[in-house]
Amino acid sequence: MASASATLLKSSPIIDKSEWIKGQNLRHPSVCFVRSHPTSATFTVRASSYADELVKTAKTVASPGRGILAMDESNATCGKRLASIGLENTEANRQAYRTLLVSAPGLGNYISGAILFEETLYQSTIDGKKMVDVLVEQNIVPGIKVDKGLVPLPGSNNESWCQGLDGLSSRTAAYYQQGARFAKWRTVVSIPNGPSALAVKEAAWGLARYAAISQDSGLVPIVEPEILLDGDHGIDRTFEVAQKVWAEVFFYLAENNVMFEGILLKPSMVTPGAECKDKATPQQVADYTLKLLHRRIPPAVPGIMFLSGGQSEVEATLNLNAMNQSPNPWHVSFSYARALQNTCLKTWGGRPENVKAAQDALLVRAKANSLAQLGKYTGEGESEEAKKGMFVKGYVY
């Protein structure tokens, strides 16, 4: 074994610096086949022009005390949010709300990355500055949602699959040029509907292909296999399903030569189903979730950025805090949408005079989750609004 390793190292190609030019997009990454002797095993070594940049981006997003603001709601979903405060779903209203979010003073102290919808990536603020530029000025890395949504999966138990691989390479290249440096692809698994082996494999394969394509274009892929909260199952059943899903996802990531140091994982926390009578404490959620992380996630992955999935703002923060009471091999943090925005949106109400108060509400939640990432959140002084659950059965993103 030692001689084979030595032979591999001696035979490995030395990459010239000119091959690692920042921003260069290799449509066909160089592949070198190296044979070790006396065995006939074949090793594949991939060189990506973006490898160093991907690692740097992932580490920046996974920086201490910071997490991700997910503001990548589709225009239709954003319309539902606006309707909840009595606003019409127009581009001007979407622009006004997104401007409020990205321009909150000091947001970059707590937020390291912001996931954008395509419209937002190319959009300017109401003051005429590019949204991307405003984020970068706040030391926040711009990201982009690249999947095309969920559709029914034929042959399954009324399950879904995520579309969007067609044309993804050209789209991710364009997003990189526009300033995005990471991407997100969300697929879901439903426990009440099985999940079937077909749905799990389809979810894992889609995530892996997306991740490989994104890295080839210079974007750090956020891998999001969401285990939906729907159902009355207990926490042990969630653990069982998540264990299978995560194993399948990382198997196919490896099969597609995805560089683990240049990805971020956005999983669900291990919790009981939303309709389960036996609720879990933050410590139970932390124990189950960390046990699963240790069993399934390689330490090479820089960051675990949990989704909130319909938990209340406070619940999501308490659970994250419980997971950070002792050191972890990965940066364990957050990538929240509703759990950061809910109180902010209601405080704003579409009124210009409420912008500052709404931004303050956003900063309160961002700071709380920053403290939770550091394991220092206490939960003191939280509003009743922040304690309200946001689970919606059959939620469509």
Side-chain angles (χ1 to χ4, degrees), residues 295-337:
R295 285 188 181 182
R296 289 291 183 261
I297 311 305
V301 176
I304 314 297
M305 321 300 287
F306 283 103
L307 59 91
S308 55
Q311 300 177 69
S312 74
E313 291 176 328
V314 170
E315 185 182 9
T317 309
L318 284 170
N319 289 338
L320 178 63
N321 186 70
M323 282 185 261
N324 282 299
Q325 293 307 300
S326 58
N328 293 305
W330 330 264
H331 174 80
V332 176
S333 192
F334 61 93
S335 178
Y336 295 164

Side-chain angles (χ1 to χ4, degrees), residues 100-282:
L100 180 160
L101 295 175
V102 303
S103 61
L107 186 64
N109 293 327
Y110 317 115
I111 300 297
S112 55
I115 313 172
L116 310 177
F117 188 61
E118 186 176 63
E119 179 182 75
T120 319
L121 182 69
Y122 292 90
Q123 202 170 39
S124 296
T125 67
I126 57 176
D127 300 320
K129 296 185 69 173
K130 292 182 179 179
M131 296 271 187
V132 169
D133 292 343
V134 174
L135 289 169
V136 172
E137 287 172 5
Q138 295 237 54
N139 195 28
I140 298 172
V141 182
I144 178 71
K145 167 188 166 73
V146 300
D147 68 76
K148 293 294 185 179
L150 301 168
V151 292
L153 176 62
S156 70
N157 186 26
N158 294 319
E159 295 162 288
S160 60
W161 67 286
C162 189
Q163 58 187 347
L165 290 176
D166 289 350
L168 182 59
S169 181
S170 59
R171 286 193 291 120
T172 50
Y175 296 151
Y176 182 93
Q177 292 300 319
Q178 186 63 18
R181 288 299 177 267
F182 69 93
K184 193 204 82 167
W185 176 288
R186 172 187 180 257
T187 194
V188 302
V189 171
S190 170
I191 293 180
N193 288 1
S196 67
L198 172 64
V200 172
K201 182 170 288 188
E202 175 59 44
W205 179 256
L207 284 167
R209 288 305 307 141
Y210 138 77
I213 293 167
S214 295
Q215 287 190 339
D216 190 53
S217 295
L219 302 181
V220 169
I222 289 183
V223 175
E224 183 177 357
E226 179 174 358
I227 312 294
L228 294 172
L229 278 176
D230 301 62
D232 59 3
H233 52 276
I235 195 170
D236 288 295
R237 176 59 177 156
T238 305
F239 182 90
E240 177 187 7
V241 170
Q243 189 167 231
K244 171 62 177 175
V245 171
W246 292 11
E248 200 97 343
V249 167
F250 276 86
F251 172 79
Y252 284 115
L253 287 172
E255 286 284 289
N256 282 272
N257 298 298
V258 172
M259 182 176 67
F260 289 170
E261 294 86 350
I263 71 170
L264 295 166
L265 180 67
K266 182 175 178 174
S268 315
M269 297 178 189
V270 180
T271 65
E275 296 163 284
C276 179
K277 295 179 181 178
D278 298 322
K279 302 303 178 185
T281 65

Side-chain angles (χ1 to χ4, degrees), residues 110-111 312-318 334 336 338-344 359-371 377 382-383 386-387:
Y110 317 115
I111 300 297
S312 74
E313 291 176 328
V314 170
E315 185 182 9
T317 309
L318 284 170
F334 61 93
Y336 295 164
R338 286 175 287 171
L340 281 173
Q341 297 182 44
N342 186 55
T343 302
C344 168
Q359 290 179 329
D360 289 344
L362 173 64
L363 292 172
V364 165
R365 290 264 46 88
K367 183 178 180 179
N369 285 292
S370 170
L371 289 170
Y377 173 73
E382 290 284 13
S383 68
K387 297 176 183 177

